Amino acid sequence: MANATFVGTWREDVGGEMMALRYYGPAHTGGDAVVTFEKAGAVHMGDLVFNRMHPFIDRPAGASIANWIKVLEGTVADHGNETTYIFGHGSAKFGVTGTRADLLYMRDYLTALLEFVRGEVKAGKPKDVIVKITDPLKGFPTTGRSSSAC
C-alpha cells in the first residue's frame, strides 16, 4: 500500500541508487509515472511503452493518447542519448528494453493512430466499426495487437 504521493517529481536516494519519479500527465492511464534510476542510466516506462505493439488504452482510468504523445516526447527530452529504457510490454522481436528511438517510434505510432481515428470519425464511421479495424496504419508493419489488458 502506498504511504506517500507526489505531484510532478519525486526524487530520493533508495539503497544507493538515486531514483526519480516523474508524472507528465495522463497517458496509458491518468496516473502513470516514469521511473529514472539516475546512477544506472536507466528509465522504467512501465505501461507507457508497448514496444512495437498496439497498446492497451485504458480510457476508464483516464488515458489520453494526445497527452501520451507528449509524455513520450518529454521523457526523451529529459534523458540522455545513452539512456536504457525498460518497457512494460514488448513484442517477441523487439523485446522490453530499448533506446529513445523506441519511444519515438511509439510516439509516431500513437500520432498516426490518433490521426487515423479522427479521420474515421470525421468520415462518419461509428465507433463499433472503427474499433474492429485490425490493421489501420501503413508504415508500422511490426506493430501488432497487445495480448492483454495489463
Side-chain angles (χ1 to χ4, degrees):
M1 181 183 307
N3 61 5
T5 61
F6 69 96
V7 176
T9 303
W10 171 88
R11 189 169 181 263
E12 189 171 315
D13 185 298
V14 178
E17 173 61 71
M18 187 58 69
M19 289 180 61
L21 279 69
R22 179 145 186 190
Y23 177 68
Y24 291 88
H28 162 69
T29 69
D32 297 294
V34 173
V35 181
T36 302
F37 300 90
E38 294 177 4
K39 290 181 182 177
V43 176
H44 199 295
M45 299 298 297
D47 287 340
L48 291 169
V49 176
F50 287 66
N51 195 20
R52 305 307 199 277
M53 301 170 68
H54 181 80
F56 177 71
I57 302 162
D58 198 347
R59 298 218 8 124
S64 168
I65 296 174
N67 200 66
W68 198 338
I69 294 163
K70 294 175 186 176
V71 169
L72 294 168
E73 290 173 340
T75 302
V76 166
D78 288 344
H79 296 88
N81 291 335
E82 302 303 316
T83 301
T84 298
Y85 294 91
I86 304 162
F87 313 133
H89 303 271
S91 70
K93 182 176 179 182
F94 290 94
V96 293
T97 61
T99 67
R100 64 193 303 123
D102 297 302
L103 272 69
L104 296 174
Y105 183 96
M106 175 119 188
R107 176 212 50 198
D108 293 346
Y109 178 79
L110 290 173
T111 300
L113 179 64
L114 190 57
E115 289 173 3
F116 173 80
V117 172
R118 285 178 174 161
E120 297 295 287
V121 170
K122 188 175 182 180
K125 291 188 182 172
K127 178 182 176 181
D128 63 324
V129 171
I130 297 170
V131 298
K132 290 180 183 173
I133 299 171
T134 58
D135 193 18
L137 305 178
K138 301 204 181 345
F140 295 94
T142 59
T143 305
R145 296 260 178 208
S146 60
S147 61
S148 71
C150 303

